[in-house]
Amino acid sequence: MNKSIRNRAFTGTALALAASAVLTACGGDDTSSSGAQAKNTPGTKAVAVKDPLVATFDGGLYVLDGESLKTAATIELPGFNRLNPAGDDSHVIVSTDAGFRVLNAAEQTFTGVEYKGAKPGHVVQHAGKTVLFTDGTGEVNVFDPDDLAGGKKPEGRTYTSAEPHHGVAIELSNGELLSTLGTEEKRTGALVLDKDNKEIKRNENCPGVHGEAAAKGEAVAVGCEDGVLIYKDGEFTKVDAPDDYGRIGNQRGSEASPILLGDYKTDPEAELERPTRISLIDTETGKLRLVDLGTSYSFRSLGRGPHGEALVLGTNGTLHVIDPETGKVEKKIPVVDKWQEPLDWQQARPTLFVRDHTAYVSEPGKRKLHAVDIEAGEKITSVTLPKSTNELSGVVAGH
C-alpha cells in the first residue's frame, strides 16, 4: 500500500482542504430514518475503523476502511441521505429528512446526537468549528467537533436567520459569524455577526447566493449569480463574473492557497447546464480566471489537494490536477469510465472526496470505489461494493 494512504496525520492545512462541503441536503420522503441499524459484514468484527469513509446507497450507508476500502459495516437508513465530515477523526454528519444526525463512523454507530429540522443543508468546518445550516428553519448551529467525543450534544452557539432559506454560515477564528441572507424565493447576500450575534456588516450585492469556501488568509467567499462575494479583514469585496450571468454556486478552498476553485455557469434558462469551464478566484487580487477543461463536470466533482491543487473530476472519467496560480492542468489521471451528469441532482454520479494526499472517487455505474494517489498520479486501490453508491465522504479532522 502506498505510504500516502498510510500516513494520515490529521494536522496542519492538508486535511482542512477537503473539510468544507457546500451543498444542500434535501431529505427523502421516508421519515423512518430514526430506526437505523448497523449490520456488520459477515466475517468481520465490530472493531474501530481507522480513517473511515462513508458512502450512501438506496436504503443505507456503507462504512469503509480508509486504507483497504473494505466494508466494515452496513447501516440501514431509509430516505435520501447526505454526508459531510463532522470535523474530527471519528464522526460524520448525516443529513436525513428529519435533520442532522451524528454518526460515529469509526465505531459504525449513530451517537444519538441530532439537530432536528426540515431540510438540513450546508455543513461547514473552519477554524476548529463546525457550522450547520437548516434550510427549513433558518437555524444555524455552531459547535466544536472535539466535543462530539462524549456522545452528547455539544454546547454551542445558535443563530436564526430572519427568514428560512437555502443558506450557509461559517464562523471565523475571531468569533465572527458570516451567514447568508434570503428568503425561500430570493437570496441576496450575506451578513456578519460579532461574537454576541450583533450584526456588524452586510452586503446584498450577491444575487442567488450559494455555497462558501475559505482561502489562505481567512478570506471567505460565497458564490453569486454574477461572481463571488469575498469577506476578508472585516470588509466585503465583490468579484464580478465576466458575463452578466456567470453563476459560481459551488466552491472549494484551501488554506495553502489564496485562490478559490469554483464552478461556472452562464445559461440561466438551462434545465441542466453542463459547463466545461471552471473559475479560479484570487482572493488577494480580486481577479477571476476561467479555465476550459474540454470536459464537463458536476457539483460533486470539485476538490483541493494537499498543496492547494485544484481538482476536478471530468465526465471524460479523468481527474484533472490544476495549478491554481497559472490555471494549467498539470496532470490528467484516468479514474472512471466516461459518464454524463443526470438531470436530477439527487441521482448518483461519480463523486470526488479528497483527504490528505488521496482522492477517493466513486463509480456508481460499476458499483466501484477508487483511491487515487494525487501526487503519484495513479490509482492505487479499487473495490466493488454490493450496491451502487451516491454520496461519498469521510472523517476529516481540522486543527
mmCIF file of all heavy atoms in Angstrom, residues 239-267:
data_model
loop_
_atom_site.group_PDB
_atom_site.id
_atom_site.type_symbol
_atom_site.label_atom_id
_atom_site.label_comp_id
_atom_site.label_asym_id
_atom_site.label_seq_id
_atom_site.Cartn_x
_atom_site.Cartn_y
_atom_site.Cartn_z
ATOM 1 N N VAL A 239 -16.309 40.316 -6.505
ATOM 2 C CA VAL A 239 -15.552 39.982 -7.709
ATOM 3 C C VAL A 239 -16.567 39.634 -8.790
ATOM 4 O O VAL A 239 -17.275 38.631 -8.685
ATOM 5 C CB VAL A 239 -14.587 38.800 -7.466
ATOM 6 C CG1 VAL A 239 -13.855 38.450 -8.750
ATOM 7 C CG2 VAL A 239 -13.594 39.141 -6.359
ATOM 8 N N ASP A 240 -16.648 40.464 -9.808
ATOM 9 C CA ASP A 240 -17.668 40.284 -10.842
ATOM 10 C C ASP A 240 -17.254 39.209 -11.845
ATOM 11 O O ASP A 240 -16.079 39.085 -12.217
ATOM 12 C CB ASP A 240 -17.898 41.601 -11.596
ATOM 13 C CG ASP A 240 -18.555 42.650 -10.711
ATOM 14 O OD1 ASP A 240 -19.444 42.283 -9.919
ATOM 15 O OD2 ASP A 240 -18.172 43.829 -10.810
ATOM 16 N N ALA A 241 -18.245 38.458 -12.298
ATOM 17 C CA ALA A 241 -18.023 37.499 -13.370
ATOM 18 C C ALA A 241 -17.871 38.248 -14.686
ATOM 19 O O ALA A 241 -18.395 39.358 -14.840
ATOM 20 C CB ALA A 241 -19.196 36.533 -13.450
ATOM 21 N N PRO A 242 -17.177 37.672 -15.661
ATOM 22 C CA PRO A 242 -17.027 38.337 -16.954
ATOM 23 C C PRO A 242 -18.314 38.353 -17.772
ATOM 24 O O PRO A 242 -18.406 39.087 -18.756
ATOM 25 C CB PRO A 242 -15.932 37.517 -17.649
ATOM 26 C CG PRO A 242 -15.936 36.199 -16.958
ATOM 27 C CD PRO A 242 -16.354 36.456 -15.556
ATOM 28 N N ASP A 243 -19.306 37.560 -17.380
ATOM 29 C CA ASP A 243 -20.598 37.532 -18.059
ATOM 30 C C ASP A 243 -21.658 38.153 -17.160
ATOM 31 O O ASP A 243 -21.544 38.125 -15.932
ATOM 32 C CB ASP A 243 -20.993 36.086 -18.392
ATOM 33 C CG ASP A 243 -19.999 35.404 -19.308
ATOM 34 O OD1 ASP A 243 -20.084 35.615 -20.528
ATOM 35 O OD2 ASP A 243 -19.132 34.665 -18.795
ATOM 36 N N ASP A 244 -22.723 38.708 -17.764
ATOM 37 C CA ASP A 244 -23.820 39.268 -16.973
ATOM 38 C C ASP A 244 -24.386 38.221 -16.031
ATOM 39 O O ASP A 244 -24.682 38.500 -14.872
ATOM 40 C CB ASP A 244 -24.925 39.794 -17.895
ATOM 41 C CG ASP A 244 -24.491 41.043 -18.634
ATOM 42 O OD1 ASP A 244 -23.553 41.708 -18.156
ATOM 43 O OD2 ASP A 244 -25.079 41.345 -19.685
ATOM 44 N N TYR A 245 -24.566 37.003 -16.558
ATOM 45 C CA TYR A 245 -24.936 35.860 -15.726
ATOM 46 C C TYR A 245 -23.752 34.909 -15.744
ATOM 47 O O TYR A 245 -23.474 34.249 -16.747
ATOM 48 C CB TYR A 245 -26.196 35.163 -16.251
ATOM 49 C CG TYR A 245 -26.641 33.997 -15.389
ATOM 50 C CD1 TYR A 245 -27.523 34.191 -14.327
ATOM 51 C CD2 TYR A 245 -26.172 32.701 -15.626
ATOM 52 C CE1 TYR A 245 -27.935 33.130 -13.527
ATOM 53 C CE2 TYR A 245 -26.578 31.634 -14.826
ATOM 54 C CZ TYR A 245 -27.456 31.858 -13.786
ATOM 55 O OH TYR A 245 -27.858 30.798 -12.988
ATOM 56 N N GLY A 246 -23.028 34.892 -14.647
ATOM 57 C CA GLY A 246 -21.882 33.995 -14.505
ATOM 58 C C GLY A 246 -21.962 33.390 -13.118
ATOM 59 O O GLY A 246 -21.398 33.922 -12.160
ATOM 60 N N ARG A 247 -22.693 32.295 -12.993
ATOM 61 C CA ARG A 247 -23.012 31.740 -11.678
ATOM 62 C C ARG A 247 -21.894 30.862 -11.149
ATOM 63 O O ARG A 247 -21.446 29.926 -11.813
ATOM 64 C CB ARG A 247 -24.307 30.927 -11.726
ATOM 65 C CG ARG A 247 -24.725 30.379 -10.364
ATOM 66 C CD ARG A 247 -26.043 29.612 -10.459
ATOM 67 N NE ARG A 247 -26.520 29.252 -9.121
ATOM 68 C CZ ARG A 247 -26.227 28.114 -8.504
ATOM 69 N NH1 ARG A 247 -25.428 27.222 -9.110
ATOM 70 N NH2 ARG A 247 -26.700 27.859 -7.297
ATOM 71 N N ILE A 248 -21.451 31.185 -9.942
ATOM 72 C CA ILE A 248 -20.493 30.362 -9.218
ATOM 73 C C ILE A 248 -21.206 29.897 -7.958
ATOM 74 O O ILE A 248 -21.354 30.660 -7.008
ATOM 75 C CB ILE A 248 -19.212 31.154 -8.887
ATOM 76 C CG1 ILE A 248 -18.546 31.622 -10.191
ATOM 77 C CG2 ILE A 248 -18.249 30.305 -8.066
ATOM 78 C CD1 ILE A 248 -17.376 32.562 -9.979
ATOM 79 N N GLY A 249 -21.687 28.664 -7.971
ATOM 80 C CA GLY A 249 -22.512 28.183 -6.872
ATOM 81 C C GLY A 249 -21.837 27.178 -5.970
ATOM 82 O O GLY A 249 -22.296 26.911 -4.865
ATOM 83 N N ASN A 250 -20.744 26.612 -6.444
ATOM 84 C CA ASN A 250 -20.032 25.593 -5.670
ATOM 85 C C ASN A 250 -18.550 25.913 -5.697
ATOM 86 O O ASN A 250 -17.964 26.102 -6.763
ATOM 87 C CB ASN A 250 -20.286 24.201 -6.275
ATOM 88 C CG ASN A 250 -21.756 23.876 -6.301
ATOM 89 O OD1 ASN A 250 -22.373 23.628 -5.277
ATOM 90 N ND2 ASN A 250 -22.352 23.893 -7.497
ATOM 91 N N GLN A 251 -17.953 25.996 -4.509
ATOM 92 C CA GLN A 251 -16.552 26.395 -4.417
ATOM 93 C C GLN A 251 -15.798 25.462 -3.470
ATOM 94 O O GLN A 251 -16.387 24.842 -2.596
ATOM 95 C CB GLN A 251 -16.430 27.827 -3.878
ATOM 96 C CG GLN A 251 -17.373 28.829 -4.498
ATOM 97 C CD GLN A 251 -18.663 28.953 -3.719
ATOM 98 O OE1 GLN A 251 -18.670 28.933 -2.502
ATOM 99 N NE2 GLN A 251 -19.767 29.074 -4.428
ATOM 100 N N ARG A 252 -14.489 25.408 -3.676
ATOM 101 C CA ARG A 252 -13.605 24.691 -2.759
ATOM 102 C C ARG A 252 -12.395 25.569 -2.457
ATOM 103 O O ARG A 252 -11.787 26.133 -3.367
ATOM 104 C CB ARG A 252 -13.125 23.359 -3.365
ATOM 105 C CG ARG A 252 -14.211 22.333 -3.561
ATOM 106 C CD ARG A 252 -14.741 21.808 -2.234
ATOM 107 N NE ARG A 252 -15.715 20.753 -2.426
ATOM 108 C CZ ARG A 252 -17.023 20.930 -2.597
ATOM 109 N NH1 ARG A 252 -17.501 22.165 -2.629
ATOM 110 N NH2 ARG A 252 -17.834 19.914 -2.749
ATOM 111 N N GLY A 253 -12.062 25.653 -1.173
ATOM 112 C CA GLY A 253 -10.930 26.464 -0.755
ATOM 113 C C GLY A 253 -9.821 25.626 -0.159
ATOM 114 O O GLY A 253 -9.999 24.445 0.147
ATOM 115 N N SER A 254 -8.668 26.268 0.025
ATOM 116 C CA SER A 254 -7.502 25.612 0.591
ATOM 117 C C SER A 254 -6.741 26.613 1.439
ATOM 118 O O SER A 254 -6.507 27.745 1.012
ATOM 119 C CB SER A 254 -6.595 25.074 -0.514
ATOM 120 O OG SER A 254 -5.311 24.777 -0.006
ATOM 121 N N GLU A 255 -6.337 26.188 2.635
ATOM 122 C CA GLU A 255 -5.526 27.069 3.472
ATOM 123 C C GLU A 255 -4.104 27.185 2.940
ATOM 124 O O GLU A 255 -3.305 27.960 3.455
ATOM 125 C CB GLU A 255 -5.529 26.568 4.915
ATOM 126 C CG GLU A 255 -6.885 26.704 5.576
ATOM 127 C CD GLU A 255 -6.864 26.336 7.045
ATOM 128 O OE1 GLU A 255 -5.780 26.005 7.560
ATOM 129 O OE2 GLU A 255 -7.929 26.377 7.663
ATOM 130 N N ALA A 256 -3.796 26.428 1.905
ATOM 131 C CA ALA A 256 -2.476 26.509 1.288
ATOM 132 C C ALA A 256 -2.455 27.454 0.090
ATOM 133 O O ALA A 256 -1.412 27.661 -0.518
ATOM 134 C CB ALA A 256 -2.016 25.120 0.838
ATOM 135 N N SER A 257 -3.610 28.037 -0.255
ATOM 136 C CA SER A 257 -3.691 28.865 -1.450
ATOM 137 C C SER A 257 -4.687 30.010 -1.254
ATOM 138 O O SER A 257 -5.750 29.814 -0.672
ATOM 139 C CB SER A 257 -4.138 28.024 -2.656
ATOM 140 O OG SER A 257 -4.415 28.836 -3.784
ATOM 141 N N PRO A 258 -4.359 31.201 -1.751
ATOM 142 C CA PRO A 258 -5.316 32.305 -1.694
ATOM 143 C C PRO A 258 -6.363 32.234 -2.799
ATOM 144 O O PRO A 258 -7.249 33.089 -2.873
ATOM 145 C CB PRO A 258 -4.426 33.541 -1.882
ATOM 146 C CG PRO A 258 -3.314 33.059 -2.742
ATOM 147 C CD PRO A 258 -3.062 31.627 -2.326
ATOM 148 N N ILE A 259 -6.253 31.220 -3.649
ATOM 149 C CA ILE A 259 -7.125 31.115 -4.822
ATOM 150 C C ILE A 259 -8.206 30.057 -4.594
ATOM 151 O O ILE A 259 -7.920 28.928 -4.175
ATOM 152 C CB ILE A 259 -6.295 30.786 -6.084
ATOM 153 C CG1 ILE A 259 -5.291 31.920 -6.339
ATOM 154 C CG2 ILE A 259 -7.201 30.587 -7.289
ATOM 155 C CD1 ILE A 259 -4.297 31.626 -7.421
ATOM 156 N N LEU A 260 -9.434 30.433 -4.859
ATOM 157 C CA LEU A 260 -10.570 29.531 -4.706
ATOM 158 C C LEU A 260 -10.904 28.867 -6.035
ATOM 159 O O LEU A 260 -10.756 29.475 -7.102
ATOM 160 C CB LEU A 260 -11.800 30.305 -4.211
ATOM 161 C CG LEU A 260 -11.669 31.004 -2.861
ATOM 162 C CD1 LEU A 260 -12.873 31.888 -2.610
ATOM 163 C CD2 LEU A 260 -11.505 29.981 -1.745
ATOM 164 N N LEU A 261 -11.366 27.631 -5.964
ATOM 165 C CA LEU A 261 -11.850 26.905 -7.132
ATOM 166 C C LEU A 261 -13.373 26.952 -7.135
ATOM 167 O O LEU A 261 -14.009 26.685 -6.111
ATOM 168 C CB LEU A 261 -11.376 25.445 -7.068
ATOM 169 C CG LEU A 261 -12.061 24.445 -8.015
ATOM 170 C CD1 LEU A 261 -11.727 24.759 -9.474
ATOM 171 C CD2 LEU A 261 -11.663 23.019 -7.660
ATOM 172 N N GLY A 262 -13.945 27.321 -8.257
ATOM 173 C CA GLY A 262 -15.395 27.343 -8.365
ATOM 174 C C GLY A 262 -15.881 26.768 -9.676
ATOM 175 O O GLY A 262 -15.117 26.614 -10.632
ATOM 176 N N ASP A 263 -17.176 26.436 -9.722
ATOM 177 C CA ASP A 263 -17.773 26.075 -10.998
ATOM 178 C C ASP A 263 -18.085 27.367 -11.758
ATOM 179 O O ASP A 263 -17.795 28.467 -11.293
ATOM 180 C CB ASP A 263 -19.021 25.203 -10.800
ATOM 181 C CG ASP A 263 -20.071 25.865 -9.910
ATOM 182 O OD1 ASP A 263 -19.863 27.012 -9.464
ATOM 183 O OD2 ASP A 263 -21.106 25.229 -9.657
ATOM 184 N N TYR A 264 -18.692 27.259 -12.949
ATOM 185 C CA TYR A 264 -19.034 28.464 -13.700
ATOM 186 C C TYR A 264 -20.111 28.140 -14.721
ATOM 187 O O TYR A 264 -19.902 27.345 -15.631
ATOM 188 C CB TYR A 264 -17.799 29.041 -14.399
ATOM 189 C CG TYR A 264 -18.037 30.449 -14.930
ATOM 190 C CD1 TYR A 264 -18.101 31.522 -14.043
ATOM 191 C CD2 TYR A 264 -18.227 30.695 -16.292
ATOM 192 C CE1 TYR A 264 -18.334 32.821 -14.512
ATOM 193 C CE2 TYR A 264 -18.448 31.983 -16.765
ATOM 194 C CZ TYR A 264 -18.511 33.036 -15.867
ATOM 195 O OH TYR A 264 -18.736 34.313 -16.319
ATOM 196 N N LYS A 265 -21.278 28.763 -14.560
ATOM 197 C CA LYS A 265 -22.405 28.530 -15.455
ATOM 198 C C LYS A 265 -22.903 29.860 -16.014
ATOM 199 O O LYS A 265 -22.922 30.870 -15.303
ATOM 200 C CB LYS A 265 -23.531 27.807 -14.717
ATOM 201 C CG LYS A 265 -23.148 26.386 -14.283
ATOM 202 C CD LYS A 265 -24.319 25.659 -13.643
ATOM 203 C CE LYS A 265 -23.949 24.220 -13.318
ATOM 204 N NZ LYS A 265 -25.086 23.466 -12.737
ATOM 205 N N THR A 266 -23.327 29.842 -17.281
ATOM 206 C CA THR A 266 -23.704 31.090 -17.959
ATOM 207 C C THR A 266 -25.099 31.063 -18.560
ATOM 208 O O THR A 266 -25.522 32.051 -19.164
ATOM 209 C CB THR A 266 -22.702 31.410 -19.089
ATOM 210 O OG1 THR A 266 -22.652 30.311 -20.004
ATOM 211 C CG2 THR A 266 -21.315 31.657 -18.525
ATOM 212 N N ASP A 267 -25.851 29.973 -18.418
ATOM 213 C CA ASP A 267 -27.177 29.871 -19.022
ATOM 214 C C ASP A 267 -28.244 29.777 -17.942
ATOM 215 O O ASP A 267 -28.501 28.694 -17.398
ATOM 216 C CB ASP A 267 -27.242 28.650 -19.940
ATOM 217 C CG ASP A 267 -28.569 28.555 -20.685
ATOM 218 O OD1 ASP A 267 -29.442 29.419 -20.456
ATOM 219 O OD2 ASP A 267 -28.736 27.612 -21.478
#
